[in-house]
């Protein structure tokens, strides 16, 4: 299990723990799961955040 999987599962579990039930809970779990996925991809080195900084390093 890599960081991407761990990040996604952590975000989903935290979302379920934070809001339990209903449409808004679904949206919260979806957002927190996405954030967990992004953190996991960053830790795995599969997400390049240098393009988001706005600086040209070339």
């Amino acid at each position: 299990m890599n960081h991407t999987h761990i990040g996604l599962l952590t975000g989903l579990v935290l979302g379920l723990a934070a809001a339990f039930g209903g449409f808004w809970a679904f949206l919260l779990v979806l957002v927190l799961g996405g954030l967990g996925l992004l953190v996991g991809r960053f830790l795995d080195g599969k997400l390049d955040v240098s393009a988001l900084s706005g600086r040209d390093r070339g």
Side-chain angles (χ1 to χ4, degrees):
M1 191 176 259
N2 57 22
H3 289 102
T4 301
H5 290 117
I6 293 170
L8 177 61
L9 290 175
T10 302
L12 290 172
V13 169
L14 287 175
L16 286 171
F20 193 76
F23 178 72
W24 294 109
F26 168 76
L27 289 179
L28 183 62
V29 170
L30 186 66
V31 168
L32 290 177
L35 287 175
L37 178 64
L38 289 175
V39 169
R41 301 274 302 174
F42 176 74
L43 291 175
D44 280 342
K46 295 181 181 179
L47 181 67
D48 184 21
V49 293
S50 63
L52 299 176
S53 68
R55 295 185 198 169
D56 187 18
R57 298 181 188 225

